[in-house]
Amino acid sequence: MKAVKNEKNGVVYYTFPLFEREGLVHGFSTRIGGVSKGDLAAMNLSFTRGDDEEAVRENHRRFAGAVGYDVEKLVFSNQVHETVIRRVDASDCGKGIFRESDIIGVDGLMTEDEDVVLMTFFADCVPLFFYDKNRRAIASVHSGWRGTVRRIGALAVEAMGREFGTRPEDLLAVIGPSICQDCYEVGGDVAESFRTGFAEEQWPELLREKSADKYMLNLWRANEILLQEAGIPASQIETSGLCTCCHPELLFSHRASHGRRGNLAGALTLGRRISRE
């Protein structure tokens, strides 16, 4: 496992060595350190799970304080398992958490503005985080099986090229905590989508047959393939190796909880770390 476990003021979160070496302020949340109750305990970061809104905001304050970013600068995605990736800037700060948002139906965010903190949400689906160290631009993307088979990771690389002049060879990419192949059983219809979307020689890496019309799907490898095909060198792609479903006491997992759960979140910013003791 490449994700690094951190703890500050009772808040447990993960960072990624590929980004740590660049000094990039970022963090991926866990269930630990918040104030939410019941199935949402304790660090639910989403307003869409029926949680008390002030509890969610307090969770955000605690998470931001631990990671070291300004909670007022957050910009939320609004995920629908599609492939829309939106560029945001300082005028969008607070959307989704402190003010109404017009960012609707968006599974990916990107920016080159240091006054922005990107935030996307997860509970088994694959987080994809990008950093262009030359153009100083970042992106954060939600990629479930639908987004993966529709190649949202590659689309993010293309979008950063259009918006910021990013070259794939300049990108660092992290595949964050999400469901592993051993935990992710899918039906024949999903398996067929991946057979259609990927080259035949790649099928053995992606699909392991379990029983009649049941397969174990490797979303981590699928996204590694997509990012490499988009031009990012393999040495600049880091897979965290942390499964949400294997660790339900630490991470929210839709599959492990049968839908009774909160949401994790990934935070990513170009801004400087804020220290709060």
Side-chain angles (χ1 to χ4, degrees):
M1 185 176 73
K2 293 184 179 179
V4 177
K5 193 174 184 179
N6 303 266
E7 187 275 332
K8 184 175 181 180
N9 297 330
V11 175
V12 176
Y13 65 98
Y14 283 88
T15 54
F16 311 114
L18 196 63
F19 286 175
E20 285 186 336
R21 289 192 289 270
E22 298 294 324
L24 199 62
V25 179
H26 68 287
F28 192 89
S29 71
T30 69
R31 301 185 64 161
I32 311 302
V35 299
S36 297
K37 305 297 184 183
D39 295 330
L40 307 175
M43 183 64 80
N44 167 51
L45 292 172
S46 175
F47 292 100
T48 66
R49 306 304 302 175
D51 204 351
D52 175 76
E53 290 192 0
E54 188 47 46
V56 178
R57 290 192 181 92
E58 177 59 23
N59 291 341
H60 276 285
R61 294 183 191 102
R62 294 185 180 200
F63 185 48
V67 176
Y69 62 84
D70 185 348
V71 71
E72 301 284 341
K73 295 183 177 181
L74 280 168
V75 181
F76 283 8
S77 62
N78 176 260
Q79 299 157 196
V80 293
H81 296 275
E82 291 292 343
T83 58
V84 176
I85 302 161
R86 175 163 162 172
R87 180 176 181 170
V88 295
D89 58 31
S91 68
D92 297 299
C93 288
K95 288 183 177 178
I97 180 169
F98 297 117
R99 60 190 178 113
E100 189 173 350
S101 181
D102 59 353
I103 301 172
I104 306 298
V106 173
D107 279 74
L109 301 169
M110 56 185 171
T111 193
E112 59 179 355
D113 194 327
E114 293 187 358
D115 287 329
V116 169
V117 183
L118 303 180
M119 179 162 280
T120 43
F121 300 90
F122 307 92
D124 281 339
C125 291
V126 178
L128 300 176
F129 305 119
F130 301 88
Y131 175 47
D132 179 344
K133 54 187 177 180
N134 288 336
R135 297 285 183 170
R136 289 281 294 169
I138 52 175
S140 182
V141 172
H142 163 265
S143 184
W145 77 260
R146 292 177 180 84
T148 299
V149 83
R150 294 173 185 171
R151 313 178 91 80
I152 191 172
L155 293 175
V157 175
E158 293 175 9
M160 292 183 75
R162 288 194 306 271
E163 295 293 328
F164 311 125
T166 292
R167 301 181 304 172
E169 60 267 30
D170 292 334
L171 279 170
L172 305 179
V174 168
I175 297 171
S178 43
I179 195 166
C180 73
Q181 184 175 24
D182 289 341
C183 293
Y184 196 30
E185 179 185 304
V186 299
D189 56 339
V190 175
E192 185 57 32
S193 295
F194 278 80
R195 290 195 188 99
T196 300
F198 287 79
E200 185 173 355
E201 60 268 22
Q202 296 166 342
W203 297 351
E205 297 182 88
L206 303 182
L207 295 163
R208 186 171 69 234
E209 189 168 5
K210 180 181 180 183
S211 59
D213 209 40
K214 297 294 182 183
Y215 299 83
M216 308 307 291
L217 175 60
N218 192 337
L219 285 178
W220 295 352
R221 182 59 186 144
N223 279 284
E224 288 172 350
I225 289 169
L226 292 177
L227 298 184
Q228 288 177 48
E229 289 180 348
I232 304 177
S235 62
Q236 293 168 206
I237 301 170
E238 182 175 85
T239 301
S240 69
L242 179 60
C243 175
T244 45
C245 192
C246 287
H247 304 282
E249 75 293 340
L250 178 66
L251 303 165
F252 290 118
S253 166
H254 186 81
R255 184 146 304 202
S257 68
H258 305 286
R260 298 173 59 183
R261 47 81 181 173
N263 269 340
L264 307 165
L268 181 62
T269 182
L270 293 165
R272 294 182 178 180
R273 188 178 309 277
I274 298 172
S275 179
R276 293 190 180 95
E277 297 300 331

